[in-house]
Amino acid sequence: MSRGLVIGESLIDIVGSLEHVGGSPFNVAVGLARLGHEVDLLTHIGADSYGRRIAEHANKAGVQLVPGSVSATRTPTARVTVDENGSAHYVFDLEWRLSGTPEVAPPLVVHTGSIAAVHEPGCLAVAALIDAYRVSATVTFDPNVRPALIVDRDLARARIDHLLERSDVVKVSEEDLRWIDPDRPPEMVARSWLASGPSIVAVTMAERGAFALCAGGEVRVPARPVRVVDTVGAGDAFMAGLIDALWTMGLLGADRRGELRRIGAEALTDALRAATLSSALTVARAGAELPDRAAVDAAVFQAD
C-alpha cells in the first residue's frame, strides 16, 4: 500500500471571466500528486468540455481518475466572488453521486470532505467507503462547509459527526467551526472533536496561523507572511501539506494508527509548519494553484 485515495467533488471555479479547475477534494488530490505521491481520485464529472479539462488537469498533475468518475450529466461549477480581503464566496451548480466500489488497491490514506461529506445522494456512499477503507488506511477529513448547499443544518452536522468519529486526522477552519457549533468557542469544539476519535485535529485561523490538538497536547504555528492574491484553495493546500508531512514521517496506514495517536509536539509542529507553508504558497497565486515539491523545497531553503 503506497497510494492515496481521495473521494470527492471536482468542478470548475468561475471567477469573473476566469475559469479554474477546482473542488476541495480535487485540490487535495492534485496537491498530494504534485508533492510526489501516487494518488487515485474518485469523483463525479461529465464527459463535456469542463469534464475533459478536469481530467487533463488531473492527468498532468499525476492524479489517476478512478473508473466510473466520468458519469455525471454535466460537470459541476462554482461561481466565485472574492471580497476586498481576498476571501472567496461560492454559488454552486452541481450534483454529487457515487456508485459501486472503486477499482483500486487498498490505499495507505483515504481523504474526503466538503460537499462530498454532506450532499445527497453521494454522501451516503462516501460514508460507507470510509467505513470500508479505514481497515487499511488512515482517514483524513476536512468538513470545508459550503452553507449555500446545505438545506438541513442538523442533518449536515450529524453527517460531519459520523465522519469525525471514523477519522484519524481532521483539518477544519475556524470559520467552519463557528458554523458547525456557534454556541461554543472554536477551541472547545476542537477539543470535543479530538475526544470523539481523531488522533489529530488541526484548526486554521487565516492570518493568525493554525493550531492542532493531539493526545500529547496543543501546538501552534504563526501564519507565514505573504501577499495574498486570493484564498481559493488555501485550506486544501494546508490539508495536502499536512498529509504529506505525516506521510513523510511514516505515520500513515491503519497499522501505524497507534504511532499516529502518540505523535509528539515537535513532530506535530513540524507537520503544521509544512501545511502552513503549502497554504502560503497557494494564496500568493490566483486560483487553487497548489505548490509542487520544487516550490516547497525552494521556499524552505529561502527561509533557512
Side-chain angles (χ1 to χ4, degrees), residues 67-200:
S69 291
V70 186
S71 58
T73 56
R74 67 186 184 282
T75 297
T77 61
R79 293 195 173 272
V80 186
T81 56
V82 180
D83 63 24
E84 62 274 11
N85 297 318
S87 297
H89 307 274
Y90 301 83
V91 177
F92 296 94
D93 175 19
L94 61 78
E95 61 176 10
W96 171 240
R97 297 178 181 273
L98 291 178
S99 60
T101 301
E103 298 176 16
V104 296
L108 183 72
V109 57
V110 58
H111 172 78
T112 194
S114 198
I115 297 166
V118 299
H119 199 59
E120 292 186 352
C123 66
L124 304 178
V126 170
L129 288 171
I130 292 301
D131 282 342
Y133 281 122
R134 78 181 309 272
V135 174
S136 68
T138 296
V139 176
T140 67
F141 175 49
D142 177 5
N144 199 8
V145 178
R146 303 303 189 194
L149 283 172
I150 294 175
V151 176
D152 188 328
R153 186 170 182 161
D154 289 338
L155 180 58
R157 287 190 291 198
R159 287 172 174 161
I160 289 170
D161 286 344
H162 177 88
L163 288 174
L164 277 173
E165 293 169 359
R166 287 151 179 79
S167 298
D168 299 294
V169 179
V170 177
K171 171 264 165 191
V172 63
S173 71
E174 190 176 45
E175 180 182 6
D176 284 347
L177 284 178
R178 295 188 187 282
W179 184 92
I180 293 167
D181 193 338
D183 297 326
R184 294 189 294 170
E187 291 84 355
M188 184 179 294
V189 181
R191 291 186 184 283
S192 70
W193 281 16
L194 185 72
S196 72
S199 296
I200 296 171

